[in-house]
Short mmCIF file of all heavy atoms in Angstrom, two decimals:
data_model
loop_
_atom_site.label_atom_id
_atom_site.label_comp_id
_atom_site.label_asym_id
_atom_site.label_seq_id
_atom_site.Cartn_x
_atom_site.Cartn_y
_atom_site.Cartn_z
N GLY A 133 87.81 286.63 76.76
CA GLY A 133 86.72 285.67 76.84
C GLY A 133 86.54 284.89 75.55
O GLY A 133 86.28 283.69 75.57
N GLN A 134 86.69 285.58 74.42
CA GLN A 134 86.56 284.89 73.13
C GLN A 134 87.69 283.90 72.92
O GLN A 134 87.47 282.78 72.46
CB GLN A 134 86.54 285.94 72.01
CG GLN A 134 85.29 286.79 71.98
CD GLN A 134 85.40 287.97 71.04
OE1 GLN A 134 86.51 288.47 70.77
NE2 GLN A 134 84.28 288.44 70.52
N LEU A 135 88.91 284.30 73.28
CA LEU A 135 90.05 283.40 73.14
C LEU A 135 89.89 282.19 74.04
O LEU A 135 90.22 281.06 73.65
CB LEU A 135 91.34 284.15 73.47
CG LEU A 135 92.64 283.41 73.19
CD1 LEU A 135 92.76 283.06 71.71
CD2 LEU A 135 93.83 284.26 73.62
N GLN A 136 89.36 282.40 75.23
CA GLN A 136 89.13 281.29 76.15
C GLN A 136 88.18 280.27 75.53
O GLN A 136 88.39 279.06 75.61
CB GLN A 136 88.55 281.82 77.46
CG GLN A 136 88.39 280.75 78.54
CD GLN A 136 89.70 280.18 79.01
OE1 GLN A 136 90.06 279.10 78.60
NE2 GLN A 136 90.41 280.91 79.85
N ARG A 137 87.14 280.74 74.85
CA ARG A 137 86.19 279.83 74.23
C ARG A 137 86.79 279.10 73.03
O ARG A 137 86.43 277.96 72.74
CB ARG A 137 84.91 280.59 73.83
CG ARG A 137 83.95 280.77 75.01
CD ARG A 137 82.68 281.46 74.62
NE ARG A 137 82.87 282.92 74.60
CZ ARG A 137 81.98 283.76 74.09
NH1 ARG A 137 80.86 283.31 73.56
NH2 ARG A 137 82.21 285.07 74.12
N VAL A 138 87.74 279.74 72.35
CA VAL A 138 88.46 279.04 71.28
C VAL A 138 89.19 277.83 71.85
O VAL A 138 89.14 276.72 71.29
CB VAL A 138 89.46 279.99 70.57
CG1 VAL A 138 90.36 279.20 69.61
CG2 VAL A 138 88.71 281.08 69.82
N PHE A 139 89.86 278.02 72.98
CA PHE A 139 90.61 276.92 73.58
C PHE A 139 89.68 275.86 74.16
O PHE A 139 90.03 274.68 74.22
CB PHE A 139 91.56 277.46 74.64
CG PHE A 139 92.72 278.23 74.07
CD1 PHE A 139 93.05 279.48 74.57
CD2 PHE A 139 93.46 277.71 73.03
CE1 PHE A 139 94.12 280.20 74.04
CE2 PHE A 139 94.53 278.41 72.49
CZ PHE A 139 94.86 279.66 72.99
N ILE A 140 88.49 276.27 74.59
CA ILE A 140 87.50 275.28 75.04
C ILE A 140 87.05 274.43 73.86
O ILE A 140 86.95 273.21 73.96
CB ILE A 140 86.31 275.97 75.73
CG1 ILE A 140 86.74 276.56 77.08
CG2 ILE A 140 85.15 274.98 75.93
CD1 ILE A 140 85.66 277.35 77.77
N VAL A 141 86.79 275.08 72.72
CA VAL A 141 86.43 274.32 71.52
C VAL A 141 87.54 273.35 71.16
O VAL A 141 87.29 272.17 70.84
CB VAL A 141 86.15 275.28 70.33
CG1 VAL A 141 86.08 274.50 69.01
CG2 VAL A 141 84.86 276.04 70.55
N ARG A 142 88.80 273.80 71.25
CA ARG A 142 89.93 272.91 70.93
C ARG A 142 89.93 271.70 71.85
O ARG A 142 90.19 270.58 71.42
CB ARG A 142 91.25 273.68 71.04
CG ARG A 142 92.43 272.87 70.52
CD ARG A 142 93.68 273.70 70.37
NE ARG A 142 94.40 273.86 71.63
CZ ARG A 142 95.69 274.22 71.68
NH1 ARG A 142 96.37 274.48 70.57
NH2 ARG A 142 96.28 274.35 72.85
N SER A 143 89.61 271.92 73.14
CA SER A 143 89.60 270.81 74.08
C SER A 143 88.43 269.87 73.85
O SER A 143 88.48 268.70 74.22
CB SER A 143 89.54 271.35 75.52
OG SER A 143 88.27 271.89 75.82
N LEU A 144 87.36 270.36 73.20
CA LEU A 144 86.17 269.55 72.96
C LEU A 144 86.26 268.74 71.67
O LEU A 144 85.43 267.86 71.43
CB LEU A 144 84.92 270.44 72.90
CG LEU A 144 84.51 271.13 74.19
CD1 LEU A 144 83.36 272.10 73.93
CD2 LEU A 144 84.11 270.12 75.25
N MET A 145 87.26 269.00 70.86
CA MET A 145 87.34 268.35 69.55
C MET A 145 87.61 266.85 69.66
O MET A 145 87.36 266.10 68.72
CB MET A 145 88.41 269.03 68.70
CG MET A 145 88.00 270.42 68.24
SD MET A 145 89.35 271.38 67.47
CE MET A 145 89.66 270.43 65.99
N ASN A 146 88.12 266.41 70.81
CA ASN A 146 88.34 264.98 71.02
C ASN A 146 87.16 264.30 71.69
O ASN A 146 87.27 263.15 72.12
CB ASN A 146 89.59 264.76 71.88
CG ASN A 146 90.86 264.82 71.05
OD1 ASN A 146 90.87 264.43 69.89
ND2 ASN A 146 91.93 265.33 71.63
N ASP A 147 86.03 265.03 71.81
CA ASP A 147 84.85 264.47 72.46
C ASP A 147 85.17 263.94 73.85
O ASP A 147 84.97 262.76 74.15
CB ASP A 147 84.24 263.36 71.59
CG ASP A 147 82.84 262.97 72.06
OD1 ASP A 147 82.17 263.78 72.73
OD2 ASP A 147 82.43 261.83 71.77
N PRO A 148 85.71 264.79 74.73
CA PRO A 148 86.17 264.32 76.04
C PRO A 148 85.04 263.90 76.96
O PRO A 148 83.90 264.36 76.82
CB PRO A 148 86.89 265.56 76.61
CG PRO A 148 86.16 266.71 76.00
CD PRO A 148 85.84 266.25 74.59
#
Side-chain angles (χ1 to χ4, degrees):
Q134 291 169 333
L135 188 60
Q136 185 65 259
R137 278 182 277 169
V138 171
F139 289 131
I140 290 175
V141 168
R142 189 169 83 161
S143 72
L144 293 174
M145 289 170 66
N146 278 327
D147 193 23

